[in-house]
Amino acid sequence: MSNEPVIVLAMLKFKGPIPQSVLDYLPEVVAKTRAEEGCNSYVPHVPMDGEADQIYLHESWRSKEDLDIHLKTPHLQKLVEVAGPHLAADLDVTLWKSAL
């Protein structure tokens, strides 16, 4: 297993306001993800100004291997199912590492 932490930046852009079904499920997926081994942090954000039509996820994982395990979890798959029909575009996900 690699010892290099992985940062994930993910943007969910919705067709309109964030659906209530997504907002209702968000606390559960956050709690379950934060409880996963290898999750350093998992924080959803919404815009301060304007319409709340996006969720920005800032994640930190101990390793790419831990992230790969997370991507297969039922709670993440459920988030994709709940949010998917309401998205205006494909998920925008990028992986980052420390520059130092």
Side-chain angles (χ1 to χ4, degrees):
M1 187 180 319
S2 168
N3 290 331
E4 186 170 41
V6 176
I7 303 300
V8 178
L9 305 177
M11 179 68 73
L12 290 78
K13 172 76 171 138
F14 294 92
K15 296 173 187 171
I18 301 169
Q20 191 61 48
S21 59
V22 174
L23 294 172
D24 290 345
Y25 182 62
L26 201 55
E28 181 179 338
V29 74
V30 168
K32 287 182 176 180
T33 299
R34 288 179 178 169
E36 289 180 52
E37 185 173 343
C39 180
N40 297 325
S41 68
Y42 188 84
V43 182
H45 304 273
V46 295
M48 286 184 65
D49 298 322
E51 184 176 46
D53 61 351
Q54 300 174 63
I55 296 176
Y56 175 81
L57 290 166
H58 181 263
E59 309 172 32
S60 174
W61 293 89
R62 177 179 58 192
S63 68
K64 176 71 166 67
E65 289 82 5
D66 291 318
L67 172 61
D68 289 341
I69 292 168
H70 166 67
L71 295 175
K72 297 175 186 171
T73 60
H75 51 274
L76 182 64
Q77 295 305 313
K78 183 176 176 182
L79 176 61
V80 171
E81 290 173 16
V82 171
H86 307 285
L87 294 176
D90 290 339
L91 292 172
D92 180 10
V93 179
T94 55
L95 304 183
W96 299 78
K97 64 182 181 176
S98 175
L100 303 175

